Amino acid sequence: MSNPTQADVLIIGGGIMGASTAFFLRQRGVSVILLERWLVGQQASGVNFGNVRRQGRFLSQLPLANRAHRVWLRLPELLGEDAELVRAGHLRCAYGQEGADRMEVYAREARDYGLNLELLSTAAMRSRYPFLGPEVIAGSLSAEDGHANPRLAAPAFGRAAARAGAHIHENTEVKSLSKDGVDFRAVCADGREFTAPVMLVSSGAWGAKMSAQFNEPVPLVVRGPQMAVTEPMPYIVGPSIGVAATTLEETLYFRQVKRGNIVMGGCGRSNSTTEPRTAPVLPEHTLTQFKQMARLAPVVTKLNIIRVWSGVEGYMPDDLPVMGPSATTPGLHYAFGFCGAGFQIGPGVGETMAELIATGATDTPIAPFSIARYATPAQAPVAQAAA
């Protein structure tokens, strides 16, 4: 089998963004080389909670989330596997009237973006979800959302992209990026070099280091999700459940897998690092999760935790990703910094970026995510198509 070092598009980073972009580019007949420092889906795409939810997102993200929703429904057709997608719904809970009022406003505004949410009264919540704690007074249900297995999704896109003809290079660390004339050049730690006239940086928490090489520094910070899973109990939960809170400490979320285990996350983040790669789980965050679980679903606190984990994620100060064309360098594109909320929109990001790269435009609005929002006066923008 040939192993080219030149392609139409060079992708740096093999999370769900990069892997799905590679897949959809191949669907359009575009040749692709993808370079991943470790294994496809090993970083943020593989360590998150697995929420496949649209509600609770910024309204500006809903068109992208709706596009991703349609891709999720087609996974068996596209990839030959479903990444354990379970469409059991996504339920947000409110502890007080202020939170219930915020959910009502969000439901009204989200309707304009095609997202229909069912608002549930206290009585309805007690009837449908009797395991919830007495502080829960209202809920908002997105019945068509759900959850999937983050350990499966990105690798599934990577395998499908490879079957379609993409060249995927794992355990390939990129040391430097540059543009020589019309081509981008990636120099790897093992001495290999790859070139292409178009490049996508989708390297998660490492994205800021890559964009800085093209005079586009961004204020990305690195954090780690705090996850835990319990021993199994009889299956009673159904939807993924989270709290509509204004403080990180109260922002608990959990779901139950079919074999009965409870997966939970939220309530804090660790100071993960990229160089060296470290992602600690801090015991105080796990204890806070159980404290908050006593309010949200007391029955879960009777279970034992059997495993905890974290990862390396990139966060932007406005909680929006960096996505779209470079503001300084023609042919360069970005998709990183998804602030711990990239799993659901990942397949939509891939389809959108493939469309943008292949055609020069996309009908999915991504202008709010442009890296140009962090440009300084010294950076000269270039005109490129971005819807």
Side-chain angles (χ1 to χ4, degrees), residues 48-60:
N48 62 79
F49 177 72
N51 242 336
V52 183
R53 66 166 175 87
R54 289 171 290 169
Q55 77 162 322
R57 294 185 177 278
F58 290 109
L59 295 174
S60 62

Side-chain angles (χ1 to χ4, degrees), residues 296-384:
L296 182 59
V299 64
V300 176
T301 59
K302 298 177 181 179
L303 304 175
N304 293 307
I305 290 177
I306 60 174
R307 186 167 71 90
V308 297
W309 70 94
S310 184
V312 179
E313 295 180 331
Y315 287 79
M316 307 303 296
D318 57 5
D319 282 333
L320 294 176
V322 173
M323 181 180 170
S326 162
T328 66
T329 310
L332 176 61
H333 297 77
Y334 298 114
F336 66 86
F338 284 85
C339 307
F343 184 63
Q344 188 274 339
I345 59 175
V349 171
E351 192 178 52
T352 300
M353 293 308 300
E355 179 188 28
L356 177 63
I357 289 171
T359 70
T362 174
D363 291 333
T364 301
I366 58 173
F369 319 134
S370 171
I371 197 170
R373 70 188 190 271
Y374 294 110
T376 65
Q379 294 169 323
V382 295
Q384 293 198 31

Side-chain angles (χ1 to χ4, degrees), residues 7 60 71-72 110 142 144 146 155 157 167 169 186 195 216 224 244 246 248 283 289 312 314 316 329 339 346-347:
S60 62
V71 177
W72 277 105
S142 180
E144 295 186 345
F157 271 107
H167 296 274
H169 296 272
T195 60
E216 291 184 290
T246 57
L248 181 59
Q289 288 169 350
V312 179
M316 307 303 296
T329 310
C339 307

Side-chain angles (χ1 to χ4, degrees), residues 45 49 87 93 110 140 163 182 209 219 238 271 310 328 339 364 383:
S45 299
F49 177 72
R87 296 177 66 196
C93 300
S140 171
R163 288 194 300 272
V182 298
K209 179 181 177 181
N271 291 325
S310 184
T328 66
C339 307
T364 301

